Amino acid sequence: MDTILVVNAGSSSVKFQVFAVDGDGRLRRQIKGQMDGIGSRPRLRATDAAGQALADRAYPIESIPDVSEALQVGAAWLRDEMQITPLAVGHRVVHGGPDYDRPVLIDHGVVTRLERYTALAPLHQPYNLAPMRSLLANLPNLPQVACFDTAFHRDHDDLADFYAIPRRLHEEGVRRYGFHGLSYEYIAKALPRVAPEIATGRVIVAHLGSGASMCAIHGGRSIESTMGFTALDGLPMGTRAGQIDPGVILYLILVKGMSPAEAQNFLYRDCGLKGLSGVSNDMRELQASPDPSAAFAVEYFIYRAALQVGMLAAALQGLDALVFTAGIGENSVSIRARIAERLGWLGVVLDPMENGRHALLISRPGTTPVYVVPTDEELMIAQHTLSLLWSGRRSTQAKERAS
Ligand code: ADP
């Protein structure tokens, strides 16, 4: 059976999913897995479409020192034990810079271009690129596709994309990019099917997970995002502060004596819900904690989320619907309710029963509609990978016919 492998590689884990390709091009999720604990306690876990375990095994630390090795071991397991040899591999890439407004077939030139954005996504980009290099070296004929978290935001108006800094810096790439684009693209493509009445309207999608952002979508297109140059801006996140006065960073470096590398680590790993609460970066743990700082961190998250909805509603010049998605947005009844309580001025009123049962539409009739739409970034990547593969094949066939 034809399959597409989707790879989402991070600093200490490689998540992967396998999709079967039906004859008519429909994709069916077959395997979900991850190799985590890279460099500490490597472990491969995988489940089938029904959630039944297919693998759960630990490896000695020295056998899987890095992301490339983790991919090799995962790929060998898929090939030897699951008999899966994918048609193509789709990679999640956090930063596509100013140029990539759509997925692209990977070659050495593309990888070199994407390396330029490592400084803009230091905790993601190098790990996203490592598996591409390793596959180019070991399986050069296997088609690979890069799918970018920034691409969906690429036709923003200049007003949305500029910082108020000298233009030459914008020209060299210091601009607002926006992230979580694969999630927003998935939601924008799902809306005509799941909520056709709002699909062409002014919609704010709140992607609330460990990483969190919001996107203003009008007529299916992103027009504004809470994230900017890097994925540090906007909402408070598990370990990232979100919007912060740049003067704080100057203070950390100039007065507190942090090196730039320490400041970077601090901003990506020690702030947000974790830094504020001193308890955890995980929303469920914060909600379960009796510590008042945990409760404050949760309240802070809710307050800042409501503020950012206000900003995006101004960009959209109104609000036709709000959509919650990702780990917190899809699962937390109370966080949705508490954000919505702060949005009454935008006509938002939730129906507690519908919210409580995680219905698709969770608002009261006659109020601004609020939806819960589970996101599926991996399916989006698999779809892009398959369509690029097929369009590549069609153009090869056309060339062959013409010659
Ligand atoms: P990512 O993919 O960015 O790692 P997720 O979208 O999986 O993150 O979201 C993870 C977050 O979702 C964690 O903070 C987790 O605690 C939170 N979460 C998941 N389920 C719930 C729930 N029922 N209530 C509150 N938070 C939840």
Side-chain angles (χ1 to χ4, degrees), residues 95-99 117 120 149-154 156 160-161 163 170 172-179 222 225 227-230:
H95 220 303
D99 301 329
Y117 307 122
L120 281 55
D149 267 321
T150 45
F152 185 60
H153 305 290
R154 281 293 47 79
H156 279 183
D161 266 6
Y163 287 113
H170 179 88
E172 85 178 52
V174 185
R175 54 174 85 184
R176 299 185 67 238
Y177 291 99
F179 296 85
S222 166
S225 155
M227 280 180 166
F229 180 55
T230 68

Side-chain angles (χ1 to χ4, degrees), residues 294-323:
F296 178 76
V298 174
E299 184 63 28
Y300 182 85
F301 179 82
I302 290 159
Y303 172 65
R304 302 298 306 188
L307 284 188
Q308 302 271 334
V309 169
M311 178 185 92
L312 295 184
L316 287 164
Q317 293 286 286
L319 181 64
D320 297 320
L322 175 64
V323 175

Side-chain angles (χ1 to χ4, degrees), residues 19 45 52-53 56 78 100 126 145 149 166 168 186 206 209 272 292 305 314 372:
F19 290 83
R45 276 177 288 191
Q52 297 294 315
D56 186 353
L78 285 172
Y100 290 113
V145 173
D149 267 321
R168 64 187 148 71
Y186 174 83
V372 179

